[in-house]
Amino acid sequence: MATVEFRQASRIYDPARPPAVNRVSLTIDDGEFLVLVGPSGCGKSTTLRMLAGLEPVDEGSIFIDGVDVSEVPARDRDTAMVFQSYALYPNMTARQNMAFALENAKVPRATIAEKVARAAKMLELEPLLDVRPGNMSGGQRQRIAMGRAIVRDPKVFCMDEPLSNLDAKLRVATRGQISQLQRELGVTTVYVTHDQTEAMTMGDRVCVLKDGIVQQVDTPTHLYEHPGNTFVAGFIGSPAITLIDGVAIEDGRAVLGEGHVVDLGIERELAARATTGRVITGVRPEAWEILGVGGDRLPDTVPLKVILVEHLGSEAYLYCEPLMTADSTVSIRGGRVVVRADKRRTFRVDDVLSARPRFGESYFFDPATEINLEYL
Ligand code: ADP
């Protein structure tokens, strides 16, 4: 068990381009489950591989349990990696795969047997110990890869998209198993995924990366409720938040709409931080209130034309096109608004909603920096 600290750590593959990992500073507590999340190419794997010693630290440093390991070879860092590909030896049984690293380290045979048996029990792998990976399902291989990491009793687990080769249902089940196992073992874990749902459901804290730069490190709930900037707001949450540019602040109120005024309920103190008189507003699907369908547009609402209805069983999402006039001062990014709707109500394509964001449920960002006004 150990703490991990990245201190201004960078990885520069090509000096002519921005660093793949750019001055990452991050402290991970003993026993914590930290998820690195972000779009493809944002530097998640490289960050993890730097911790495991599989990539050099070109600038800055990385500490494990207070010791600078930046120059320490991978085998001496006491981290155990679980890869997306599992990287199992095909000609070895599950038992041999799990025991291999320990045999190389000259661990006594009785100890190896004990550790393998314990891991196999935790992972419900006992019936498979003498089976080779070629004769196993994806989920079983994934558990062997986990078992191989567990038997080493490492200071840190490094997991690189370990669930991405599983089908959707198994992924959800395994997600829960890994979280539970990590809690039982109490081993500090750094987990890479591009899937924000995985990040939100598994992490004690989540670190959002973009272009090699840390955007925000926070608990899942706090990330969702207090996103630091428009990128985090757009990345966390599914379906995604709607971002509206050019929303005016008038008399301390953020207003939307033409002729009709939708008061978004910005706090006075936040409104005062908006230097240009305009803000970017973020509205999550659940923050929209539908006041009417069809007929005349109701006062103080925004007209939204339904272009797609998505029924998910427990809820429904309406993908809408805002019917703003061409000379409107606001513009909606991507031209789409997603509204969560009561599943008991029937909506059809081409319905026109009179809707508005519920008072006080929008987010406000500075147009120049795209930072949430809360953080300015
Ligand atoms: P992610 O895991 O978030 O998808 P990576 O860490 O794999 O991102 O990659 C981050 C950036 O570094 C990308 O722009 C990628 O093209 C670049 N990169 C990764 N590995 C190498 C490499 N071995 N040589 C050069 N560039 C690399």
Side-chain angles (χ1 to χ4, degrees), residues 356-372:
R356 68 179 174 214
R358 283 197 190 82
F359 188 85
E361 291 192 20
S362 298
Y363 300 84
F364 303 99
F365 305 90
D366 173 61
T369 58
E370 307 221 347
I371 292 173
N372 188 338

Side-chain angles (χ1 to χ4, degrees), residues 83-100:
F83 296 95
Q84 175 178 351
S85 64
Y86 315 142
L88 300 175
Y89 300 105
N91 56 337
M92 291 186 192
T93 62
R95 186 194 310 278
Q96 289 165 336
N97 264 290
M98 288 201 267
F100 188 70

Side-chain angles (χ1 to χ4, degrees), residues 38-288:
S40 180
C42 72
K44 308 178 290 291
S45 289
T46 305
T47 305
L48 186 74
R49 293 167 61 82
M50 288 162 77
L51 170 61
L54 304 174
E55 290 288 346
V57 181
D58 294 319
E59 284 174 8
S61 36
I62 297 178
F63 295 78
I64 297 179
D65 247 356
V67 176
D68 188 344
V69 296
S70 312
E71 304 293 329
V72 173
R75 63 176 180 280
D76 298 328
R77 290 201 191 181
D78 209 357
T79 62
M81 189 96 179
V82 181
F83 296 95
Q84 175 178 351
S85 64
Y86 315 142
L88 300 175
Y89 300 105
N91 56 337
M92 291 186 192
T93 62
R95 186 194 310 278
Q96 289 165 336
N97 264 290
M98 288 201 267
F100 188 70
L102 302 181
E103 283 167 359
N104 275 351
K106 306 271 185 288
V107 174
R109 287 180 64 163
T111 313
I112 296 178
E114 197 182 302
K115 287 182 181 241
V116 170
R118 179 170 151 259
K121 188 158 193 292
M122 290 185 106
L123 294 160
E124 295 175 14
L125 282 171
E126 284 150 319
L128 293 171
L129 279 173
D130 297 310
V131 179
R132 291 198 171 87
N135 297 324
M136 293 181 194
S137 69
Q140 291 167 337
R141 279 181 222 163
Q142 199 279 336
R143 280 186 281 147
I144 307 289
M146 285 292 298
R148 202 172 46 175
I150 290 171
V151 295
R152 293 178 47 197
D153 288 331
K155 283 189 169 166
V156 184
F157 285 136
C158 298
M159 302 193 188
D160 195 353
E161 306 245 7
L163 304 183
S164 47
N165 286 336
L166 305 181
D167 65 55
K169 200 169 167 198
L170 194 54
R171 211 157 53 217
V172 173
T174 312
R175 186 162 94 190
Q177 284 163 2
I178 292 183
S179 299
Q180 194 184 350
L181 199 64
Q182 193 272 343
R183 270 198 300 276
E184 276 169 36
L185 294 166
V187 176
T188 311
T189 300
V190 184
Y191 184 104
V192 162
T193 180
H194 64 275
D195 178 346
Q196 63 92 29
T197 311
E198 224 168 271
M200 296 290 278
T201 52
M202 297 179 83
D204 291 323
R205 283 187 309 153
V206 176
C207 170
V208 183
L209 282 172
K210 180 189 173 221
D211 300 334
I213 298 171
V214 172
Q215 305 293 304
Q216 191 170 2
V217 188
D218 230 317
T219 60
T221 319
H222 204 264
L223 267 187
Y224 190 84
E225 288 173 1
H226 304 276
N229 57 29
T230 55
F231 178 81
V232 175
F235 193 80
I236 300 291
S238 174
I241 197 167
T242 297
L243 293 169
I244 309 169
D245 286 293
V247 172
I249 302 281
E250 292 168 10
D251 304 330
R253 298 193 311 169
V255 295
L256 184 66
E258 306 134 11
H260 303 251
V261 171
V262 183
D263 184 351
L264 298 170
I266 191 171
E267 287 170 29
R268 288 211 160 262
E269 193 203 341
L270 285 193
R273 295 183 201 176
T275 47
T276 62
R278 293 200 179 268
V279 289
I280 305 167
T281 296
V283 188
R284 296 211 183 268
E286 65 272 24
W288 288 95

